[in-house]
Amino acid sequence: MPEDALCKIVHQYNKYPIPRDDMQKLLEIADDYSKVKNYVYEHYGGISSLCKIYPGYTIQNEMTQTGLRGQLGLPSVYFYLAIFDALGDIKTQWTKTKSKVASLVGRNESFTSADRHYLRFILKSSNAFEAILNQKAVELPKDMQILYEEIASLVDTEKLNRYLCRQVRKHYAKQHTNITSGFSLSERAYRYGNHGIYISIKEKRKRIFIALTDNNQYVRQIYIKLYPEQNRIEINVPINVTIKYHEDYVNIIGVSMGIYTMLTTHNGNQYGKELGKYQIEYANWMRIQTGIYNRNRKNNPGRKKYEDKKRRLTEQLHSYINHELNCFLQTEKPHTIYMIKMPGSGMKHVNPQINNIMSMWQRGYIRKRLEQKCKEQSIKLVEVSGKDISNECSYCGKIGIKQKGIFTCPFCGYSEEEKTNTARNIKKRGTQIEDYRNIL
């Protein structure tokens, strides 16, 4: 991917309901796809296969010799994609395990600096890591071997190697998937045409045709999600989006995120003033529908109308959020945006209706979309610690009083709308952090 581009997922949908026979053929591919992945997880997910997973062609050759593809009757375009999908998952799991062990090493107070240096060296050297887990002698290239021996001479390697093996056994878990509702396709497994897409199936030289709602065509690896109950599919296509640079985007903005007003800037501008109305409507409807369903669960009420309206309300809410975020960026023209680090969603209130509204707050979606749009427009987004940030006076920095949405400082007399005061503190704290980093 080019340096001035980022990856974005676009979606395509079927235009007409998919026939049951065609859906069954796609489900068979998805089922076999998961079987191949589980085979790879089981046989190559352990420590003995660490030397094989990079880059993975050894496993590909061994999988070819197993005869599993012939037993399943799965075309090679799906078989080898499933192998490398599973290998990607295994690599990710090993990366997470190494990060977890490295974090534990840093927090272990019984280790000396030499102990930590040795363990971090092993975690960063794939060959040394694999050798120690498999109880083998560490053999590295000449320069690395000399460095390893120097580091090892300062510590008790037997004790530290046992610690490393113990932590890996504790935190690494072999994977397994029960997902049979989707699979990846390479360029050879499909082709676009006649306002739709032709997809290869398990029968030789045969493809099924699915009409699509758009005429866009792509040449890259895609992923198909199956919804057999609704007779539909969703195609996820990763595309590269060119990053835009704006010479007039020079402002430094602090923003405060709210439930009723989506964003308030440090200079008092507000965006998404109708967000509260949409969210309350959505939350109240969800609460009422959940109560109706729970009371009539024995009668098994249909959920199709519920799912359709839920989707419409969600799309309406998300469309409004994206529109307001676009207005925010085009109006404020920011070079840097400072935003508070949002707390977890474990807040509880006595009123269950408030709990329901808080649980439906779209802050995660707002943050995700703002991050994506900032990346696309080459805008810097910085998160600021939010401890006591709404209680401080943005003028003198002392703790003030909040009443009915208005912040008042008893020390300097400063008075401002609470959200604007918070946004100003966010900007102030963010610029202080940036100044400190520049000094360092």
Side-chain angles (χ1 to χ4, degrees):
M1 187 173 65
E3 291 183 0
D4 59 344
L6 58 92
C7 185
K8 179 180 179 180
I9 302 296
V10 297
H11 305 276
Q12 292 183 299
Y13 305 93
N14 56 295
K15 189 173 184 179
Y16 307 109
I18 299 175
R20 184 175 298 177
D21 292 343
D22 290 348
M23 180 61 73
Q24 187 59 40
K25 293 174 182 177
L26 295 176
L27 287 171
E28 289 177 3
I29 295 174
D31 185 56
D32 291 343
Y33 197 92
S34 67
K35 289 178 181 177
V36 175
K37 291 183 69 173
N38 285 329
Y39 187 95
V40 176
Y41 291 150
E42 183 179 352
H43 290 79
Y44 300 101
I47 60 175
S48 59
S49 299
L50 267 170
C51 59
K52 299 179 180 179
I53 62 175
Y54 296 98
Y57 296 113
T58 302
I59 294 177
Q60 177 184 347
N61 295 334
E62 291 181 3
M63 288 292 293
T64 303
Q65 296 171 4
T66 60
L68 180 62
R69 186 172 79 85
Q71 295 173 18
L72 297 174
L74 191 64
S76 60
V77 288
Y78 299 120
F79 182 74
Y80 292 112
L81 266 182
I83 293 172
F84 283 98
D85 270 3
L87 286 178
D89 294 339
I90 292 172
K91 293 174 185 178
T92 301
Q93 185 68 16
W94 276 116
T95 301
K96 290 180 179 178
T97 303
K98 288 181 179 180
S99 298
K100 179 64 177 178
V101 175
S103 175
L104 294 173
V105 168
R107 296 202 302 263
N108 194 320
E109 297 179 355
S110 65
F111 287 154
T112 64
S113 58
D115 293 337
R116 293 192 180 95
H117 186 39
Y118 173 81
L119 289 170
R120 287 167 179 161
F121 178 88
I122 298 300
L123 289 169
K124 289 184 178 180
S125 174
S126 298
N127 292 340
F129 182 71
E130 183 266 331
I132 288 173
L133 292 185
N134 287 284
Q135 309 297 318
K136 298 178 182 177
V138 176
E139 296 180 0
L140 301 172
K142 186 175 180 181
D143 294 341
M144 292 287 289
Q145 185 70 25
I146 295 173
L147 180 60
Y148 166 75
E149 291 175 356
E150 289 178 359
I151 297 172
S153 63
L154 303 175
V155 297
D156 184 350
T157 56
E158 185 178 353
K159 171 189 169 184
L160 296 179
N161 291 348
R162 286 200 307 269
Y163 171 84
L164 183 64
C165 293
R166 187 167 63 252
Q167 294 302 324
V168 169
R169 285 196 303 270
K170 183 177 180 180
H171 296 286
Y172 179 81
K174 279 191 177 182
Q175 295 163 289
H176 182 85
T177 181
N178 294 317
I179 298 175
T180 58
S181 59
F183 54 91
S184 298
L185 298 87
S186 65
E187 298 91 331
R188 294 189 298 122
Y190 69 90
R191 68 177 176 86
Y192 287 95
N194 298 326
H195 307 290
I197 186 171
Y198 292 87
I199 300 175
S200 297
I201 56 176
K202 294 176 70 173
E203 299 177 40
K204 285 187 177 181
R205 302 181 183 277
K206 288 190 177 181
R207 299 189 177 197
I208 61 172
F209 174 74
I210 298 174
L212 300 177
T213 55
D214 60 54
N215 295 320
N216 297 334
Q217 299 186 10
Y218 305 96
V219 183
R220 61 192 64 233
Q221 182 176 314
I222 63 176
Y223 185 84
I224 289 186
K225 295 176 68 176
L226 307 177
Y227 299 90
E229 301 84 2
Q230 304 170 22
N231 295 323
R232 69 181 184 92
I233 66 167
E234 178 183 310
I235 302 176
N236 295 343
V237 186
I239 62 172
N240 295 332
V241 180
T242 302
I243 298 175
K244 298 178 182 178
Y245 298 91
H246 305 274
E247 294 183 357
D248 56 337
Y249 279 36
V250 296
N251 298 320
I252 298 175
I253 306 295
V255 295
S256 173
M257 191 182 299
I259 300 175
Y260 298 101
T261 300
M262 185 176 72
L263 293 178
T264 302
T265 67
H266 71 279
N267 50 22
N269 296 335
Q270 295 183 337
Y271 300 89
K273 295 181 181 179
E274 301 294 319
L275 179 67
K277 184 187 76 173
Y278 286 113
Q279 290 204 143
I280 291 173
E281 178 187 355
Y282 179 53
N284 288 340
W285 181 83
M286 285 287 292
R287 180 169 51 84
I288 293 170
Q289 292 298 315
T290 302
I292 293 172
Y293 180 75
N294 289 337
R295 288 193 298 269
N296 298 284
R297 184 175 297 180
K298 292 182 179 179
N299 297 328
N300 191 22
R303 302 290 279 174
K304 188 176 186 304
K305 289 184 179 179
Y306 165 81
E307 294 292 346
D308 289 343
K309 185 165 184 180
K310 180 182 177 183
R311 185 175 65 254
R312 288 197 301 271
L313 289 174
T314 304
E315 289 175 354
Q316 180 187 43
L317 184 57
H318 289 178
S319 177
Y320 178 75
I321 289 171
N322 282 292
H323 175 265
E324 290 299 312
L325 287 177
N326 290 336
C327 291
F328 163 66
L329 297 179
Q330 292 167 8
T331 304
E332 299 294 336
K333 300 184 183 302
H335 172 271
T336 304
I337 298 175
Y338 294 106
M339 183 175 67
I340 195 170
K341 286 183 180 179
M342 298 302 292
S345 58
M347 296 176 288
K348 296 295 181 182
H349 299 269
V350 175
N351 190 335
Q353 187 172 353
I354 296 178
N355 286 335
N356 183 251
I357 295 172
M358 290 296 295
S359 66
M360 295 296 171
W361 186 14
Q362 300 289 310
R363 59 182 182 176
Y365 180 80
I366 295 170
R367 177 183 170 184
K368 182 179 71 173
R369 293 303 300 153
L370 182 59
E371 287 178 349
Q372 178 71 20
K373 291 178 184 294
C374 285
K375 289 178 182 177
E376 293 175 1
Q377 307 295 329
S378 67
I379 299 170
K380 187 177 181 182
L381 183 63
V382 181
E383 288 189 319
V384 178
S385 173
K387 184 177 180 181
D388 266 343
I389 205 165
S390 64
N391 297 320
E392 292 179 2
C393 175
S394 60
Y395 185 78
C396 68
K398 296 183 179 180
I399 302 300
I401 302 169
K402 295 185 293 184
Q403 287 183 343
K404 297 181 179 180
I406 301 297
F407 177 89
T408 305
C409 180
F411 299 96
C412 65
Y414 174 79
S415 181
E416 182 63 273
E417 185 180 352
E418 182 183 336
K419 295 177 183 176
T420 305
N421 177 69
T422 301
R424 288 192 180 189
N425 273 331
I426 291 171
K427 180 190 175 185
K428 181 180 177 182
R429 193 171 293 184
T431 52
Q432 288 174 347
I433 293 171
E434 291 297 311
D435 291 342
Y436 178 71
R437 287 176 179 170
N438 292 335
I439 293 172
L440 293 179

